Amino acid sequence: MAELVRHHLRFKDFPRMRRSTQLRFLRMEGFEEHLELHRLDCLASHGDLTNYEMARRMLEETPPEQVKPAPLVRGDDLIAQGYTPGPVFKKILQAVEDAQLEGKVKTREEALRMVEEEFPLPRP
């Protein structure tokens, strides 16, 4: 119940969210309940179901493998490329997943190239 309350206002920002943020929102545990609460909240207040319809349509039309795709890069891949495990891994993996969700990278090779460009290893 607390999660429903915590996230219910996020729908107002749905149209302005990056696609990666929208997809992460859609895959949130219990999203259907969040969506229904938003619908009821809209009907009880202003009656505008625009954001509800946008989120519902995106949920229905986006295949599950696009909502939560298999990772293109994992920590082991970063280690193999010469990166040292640590907090930066989360940042790198999040950036790769963002790019994947937004359609900017589609293959492991593209993802690794992106990592090298955006998170260059320090030169000795």
Side-chain angles (χ1 to χ4, degrees), residues 54-75:
M54 179 184 288
R56 184 190 58 75
R57 196 169 37 257
M58 188 174 189
L59 182 63
E60 289 174 357
E61 294 174 357
T62 307
E65 63 274 7
Q66 287 180 19
V67 174
K68 188 164 176 75
L72 294 174
V73 176
R74 298 181 183 277

Short mmCIF file of all heavy atoms in Angstrom, two decimals, residues 54-75:
data_model
loop_
_atom_site.label_atom_id
_atom_site.label_comp_id
_atom_site.label_asym_id
_atom_site.label_seq_id
_atom_site.Cartn_x
_atom_site.Cartn_y
_atom_site.Cartn_z
N MET A 54 -1.94 6.84 -22.01
CA MET A 54 -0.60 6.75 -22.60
C MET A 54 0.18 5.60 -21.95
O MET A 54 0.79 4.78 -22.65
CB MET A 54 0.15 8.07 -22.41
CG MET A 54 1.56 8.06 -22.96
SD MET A 54 2.43 9.61 -22.61
CE MET A 54 1.57 10.70 -23.72
N ALA A 55 0.15 5.53 -20.63
CA ALA A 55 0.87 4.47 -19.91
C ALA A 55 0.25 3.10 -20.20
O ALA A 55 0.96 2.12 -20.43
CB ALA A 55 0.88 4.75 -18.42
N ARG A 56 -1.07 3.02 -20.20
CA ARG A 56 -1.76 1.76 -20.46
C ARG A 56 -1.44 1.25 -21.86
O ARG A 56 -1.11 0.09 -22.06
CB ARG A 56 -3.27 1.91 -20.29
CG ARG A 56 -4.05 0.60 -20.46
CD ARG A 56 -5.55 0.83 -20.52
NE ARG A 56 -5.94 1.72 -21.60
CZ ARG A 56 -5.98 1.39 -22.89
NH1 ARG A 56 -5.63 0.20 -23.28
NH2 ARG A 56 -6.37 2.27 -23.80
N ARG A 57 -1.49 2.15 -22.83
CA ARG A 57 -1.21 1.78 -24.22
C ARG A 57 0.24 1.31 -24.37
O ARG A 57 0.52 0.31 -25.03
CB ARG A 57 -1.51 2.96 -25.14
CG ARG A 57 -1.62 2.61 -26.60
CD ARG A 57 -2.19 3.74 -27.47
NE ARG A 57 -1.79 5.08 -27.11
CZ ARG A 57 -2.56 5.96 -26.45
NH1 ARG A 57 -3.77 5.63 -26.07
NH2 ARG A 57 -2.11 7.17 -26.17
N MET A 58 1.16 2.04 -23.75
CA MET A 58 2.58 1.65 -23.83
C MET A 58 2.79 0.28 -23.19
O MET A 58 3.52 -0.55 -23.75
CB MET A 58 3.45 2.70 -23.14
CG MET A 58 4.92 2.48 -23.33
SD MET A 58 5.83 3.88 -22.60
CE MET A 58 7.45 3.51 -23.18
N LEU A 59 2.13 0.03 -22.08
CA LEU A 59 2.24 -1.27 -21.41
C LEU A 59 1.70 -2.39 -22.30
O LEU A 59 2.31 -3.45 -22.42
CB LEU A 59 1.48 -1.24 -20.07
CG LEU A 59 1.54 -2.51 -19.23
CD1 LEU A 59 2.96 -2.82 -18.80
CD2 LEU A 59 0.63 -2.37 -18.02
N GLU A 60 0.58 -2.15 -22.94
CA GLU A 60 -0.05 -3.16 -23.79
C GLU A 60 0.73 -3.39 -25.09
O GLU A 60 0.79 -4.51 -25.59
CB GLU A 60 -1.48 -2.74 -24.14
CG GLU A 60 -2.43 -2.82 -22.97
CD GLU A 60 -3.81 -2.26 -23.30
OE1 GLU A 60 -4.03 -1.76 -24.43
OE2 GLU A 60 -4.68 -2.32 -22.40
N GLU A 61 1.32 -2.34 -25.64
CA GLU A 61 1.94 -2.44 -26.96
C GLU A 61 3.44 -2.77 -26.94
O GLU A 61 4.00 -3.10 -27.99
CB GLU A 61 1.73 -1.12 -27.73
CG GLU A 61 0.27 -0.86 -28.04
CD GLU A 61 0.02 0.51 -28.67
OE1 GLU A 61 0.97 1.30 -28.82
OE2 GLU A 61 -1.15 0.78 -28.99
N THR A 62 4.05 -2.68 -25.79
CA THR A 62 5.49 -2.93 -25.71
C THR A 62 5.73 -4.36 -25.27
O THR A 62 5.31 -4.76 -24.19
CB THR A 62 6.16 -1.96 -24.72
OG1 THR A 62 5.80 -0.62 -25.06
CG2 THR A 62 7.68 -2.10 -24.77
N PRO A 63 6.39 -5.15 -26.11
CA PRO A 63 6.67 -6.54 -25.74
C PRO A 63 7.51 -6.62 -24.47
O PRO A 63 8.37 -5.75 -24.23
CB PRO A 63 7.45 -7.09 -26.94
CG PRO A 63 7.22 -6.13 -28.05
CD PRO A 63 6.93 -4.80 -27.42
N PRO A 64 7.29 -7.65 -23.66
CA PRO A 64 8.03 -7.79 -22.40
C PRO A 64 9.55 -7.75 -22.57
O PRO A 64 10.25 -7.20 -21.73
CB PRO A 64 7.59 -9.16 -21.87
CG PRO A 64 6.28 -9.43 -22.51
CD PRO A 64 6.32 -8.72 -23.85
N GLU A 65 10.05 -8.29 -23.68
CA GLU A 65 11.50 -8.29 -23.88
C GLU A 65 12.04 -6.89 -24.18
O GLU A 65 13.24 -6.66 -24.10
CB GLU A 65 11.92 -9.27 -24.98
CG GLU A 65 11.40 -8.96 -26.36
CD GLU A 65 9.99 -9.53 -26.65
OE1 GLU A 65 9.33 -10.05 -25.74
OE2 GLU A 65 9.57 -9.42 -27.81
N GLN A 66 11.17 -5.94 -24.49
CA GLN A 66 11.59 -4.56 -24.64
C GLN A 66 11.43 -3.78 -23.33
O GLN A 66 12.16 -2.84 -23.07
CB GLN A 66 10.80 -3.86 -25.74
CG GLN A 66 11.17 -4.30 -27.12
CD GLN A 66 10.36 -3.58 -28.19
OE1 GLN A 66 9.78 -2.53 -27.95
NE2 GLN A 66 10.32 -4.16 -29.37
N VAL A 67 10.46 -4.20 -22.51
CA VAL A 67 10.27 -3.56 -21.20
C VAL A 67 11.42 -3.93 -20.27
O VAL A 67 11.96 -3.10 -19.56
CB VAL A 67 8.91 -3.95 -20.59
CG1 VAL A 67 8.77 -3.40 -19.17
CG2 VAL A 67 7.76 -3.45 -21.45
N LYS A 68 11.80 -5.19 -20.30
CA LYS A 68 12.91 -5.67 -19.46
C LYS A 68 13.79 -6.58 -20.31
O LYS A 68 13.72 -7.81 -20.23
CB LYS A 68 12.39 -6.41 -18.24
CG LYS A 68 13.51 -6.74 -17.26
CD LYS A 68 12.97 -7.13 -15.91
CE LYS A 68 14.05 -7.55 -14.96
NZ LYS A 68 14.85 -6.51 -14.43
N PRO A 69 14.62 -5.97 -21.15
CA PRO A 69 15.48 -6.78 -22.03
C PRO A 69 16.63 -7.43 -21.26
O PRO A 69 17.02 -6.97 -20.19
CB PRO A 69 16.02 -5.74 -23.02
CG PRO A 69 16.00 -4.46 -22.26
CD PRO A 69 14.81 -4.54 -21.34
N ALA A 70 17.14 -8.49 -21.84
CA ALA A 70 18.33 -9.13 -21.28
C ALA A 70 19.47 -8.12 -21.36
O ALA A 70 19.62 -7.43 -22.37
CB ALA A 70 18.66 -10.39 -22.06
N PRO A 71 20.28 -8.03 -20.33
CA PRO A 71 21.40 -7.07 -20.35
C PRO A 71 22.38 -7.37 -21.48
O PRO A 71 22.69 -8.52 -21.74
CB PRO A 71 22.07 -7.26 -18.99
CG PRO A 71 21.12 -8.02 -18.15
CD PRO A 71 20.22 -8.78 -19.07
N LEU A 72 22.85 -6.32 -22.11
CA LEU A 72 23.86 -6.46 -23.16
C LEU A 72 25.26 -6.57 -22.55
O LEU A 72 26.15 -7.17 -23.15
CB LEU A 72 23.82 -5.26 -24.11
CG LEU A 72 22.55 -5.11 -24.95
CD1 LEU A 72 22.58 -3.80 -25.72
CD2 LEU A 72 22.38 -6.29 -25.88
N VAL A 73 25.44 -5.97 -21.39
CA VAL A 73 26.74 -5.95 -20.72
C VAL A 73 26.52 -6.23 -19.24
O VAL A 73 25.55 -5.76 -18.65
CB VAL A 73 27.42 -4.56 -20.89
CG1 VAL A 73 28.72 -4.49 -20.11
CG2 VAL A 73 27.67 -4.25 -22.35
N ARG A 74 27.42 -7.01 -18.68
CA ARG A 74 27.38 -7.32 -17.24
C ARG A 74 28.71 -6.92 -16.61
O ARG A 74 29.67 -6.56 -17.30
CB ARG A 74 27.13 -8.82 -17.04
CG ARG A 74 25.79 -9.28 -17.59
CD ARG A 74 25.61 -10.78 -17.32
NE ARG A 74 24.38 -11.28 -17.89
CZ ARG A 74 23.19 -11.20 -17.32
NH1 ARG A 74 23.05 -10.65 -16.15
NH2 ARG A 74 22.12 -11.69 -17.91
N GLY A 75 28.77 -7.04 -15.30
CA GLY A 75 29.99 -6.70 -14.57
C GLY A 75 31.20 -7.48 -15.06
O GLY A 75 32.30 -6.93 -15.17
#
